[in-house]
Amino acid sequence: MLKEEVSQYFSNIMEKESDISASIAAITTLMKLLEHDKSETVQELDLNLQSAVEVITNSSFRITGVSSGCALFMRFITFAKLDNITFAECKKVMLDRGKVFLKKLTDARNKVAKITLPFFVDGTNILTHSKSRVVLEAMKLAVNSQKRFHVFVSESSPDKSGIEMYDCLKALDIPCTLILDSAVGYIMERVDMVMVGAECVVESGGIINKIGSCTMAICAKEFKKPFYVLTESYKFSRMYPLNQKDLPNNFKYNGNNSNDDNLLHAHPSVDYTHPSYISLLFTDLGILMPSAVSDELIKLYL
C-alpha cells in the first residue's frame, strides 16, 4: 500500500464506522498493510509499517490515542521475529499475532463495561463529558441490567460532541439531561459521580481527554465527588506531561492547525487532567489507582 492508500483506507474507516475508535481504525489499517505488503525482509516490512504509522498520525483526525495503540501493536507482532524461520513464516506469525491483538482490543470495551457495572447504583446521578464509546457501552450494559440512573451530559464545545452522546443515551431510553459546559459547577452538587472516557492515559496515571475534562475533574475534587475514568489499556502511553504546555501540538490541534506558526488563537481539542484529581481508572486490566498505571505500562512493553 502506498502512503496515499494508507491515508485513504484509514480515513474511510474513520468516516464510515463511527463506533470504531481511532486506535482500532489505525491498527486495522496496519493489518491491511501487513496482508498486502510486498516486502522481502523484516527490516523493509518494519520500515513500511513505521511509515504507515507516521501517515496515520499526521492525518486530520484527532489521534491522541493512536500513537500508543500503534506502538503496542508493533511491539506485540514483532515478538515473532525469530532467526530460525523464513521471512514468509515470520510474516504469517506476525499476521496471526496481529489478529489476536486486534481481537483483544475489540473485546476491551465490553470488559470495561462489565467491571464498571457494580458502580451503577439505583438512583445515582452521573455527570459525563463529551462522547465516550466506552462510557456509552457501560451505561448501555447498566440499563440492560435494569439499573436506574440519570445522566447529566455537558454539551462539550466546540464540537458539541456531548449533544451526540445525549442523543445516543436518549435512543437507549436512559434518562438524561444536556447541560452547558459552564453549568458544571452548578450541577456538581446534584451528582454522585463523574464518569468520563480518555483519549490517552499517561505514565503518571493522568489522562489526556476532550477539552474541559480537567475543569470538570477539579470541580469534582472540590465538591468531593469521585471522578472515574473508563478506558481501554491500549490507550496507555509512555508519556509524562507535567502540565498543559507539555502536550504535543498534534494532540491538542487537528491536522489543519498543528503546523500553524501561531497557535495562540486556536482552540485546543484536549487537555491534561492530573492524576491527583482521578479517583479510579476502570480498564480491561482491572480497576486501577492512577499510581498503578506506570506498573501496567511496564508489563505491556515487556
Side-chain angles (χ1 to χ4, degrees), residues 31 34-35 73 76-77 92-106:
M31 281 292 293
L34 193 55
E35 289 174 9
F73 173 78
F76 191 82
I77 66 168
K92 183 182 182 304
V93 174
M94 291 169 78
L95 273 167
D96 290 342
R97 290 182 69 84
K99 290 173 184 175
V100 169
F101 186 80
L102 193 56
K103 176 69 165 58
K104 182 180 177 182
L105 261 59
T106 52

Side-chain angles (χ1 to χ4, degrees), residues 142-192:
V143 79
N144 288 341
S145 301
Q146 309 304 314
K147 302 281 188 176
R148 295 174 297 171
F149 56 95
H150 188 100
V151 184
F152 292 95
V153 188
S154 59
E155 62 180 13
S156 189
S157 294
D159 64 1
K160 308 291 185 182
S161 53
I163 297 177
E164 189 180 348
M165 181 70 166
Y166 172 76
D167 290 339
C168 290
L169 292 170
K170 285 193 72 175
L172 293 169
D173 292 325
I174 297 175
C176 53
T177 304
L178 186 68
I179 66 168
L180 297 170
D181 291 341
S182 54
V184 166
Y186 174 84
I187 209 72
M188 190 63 74
E189 64 185 26
R190 294 178 56 187
V191 305
D192 300 293

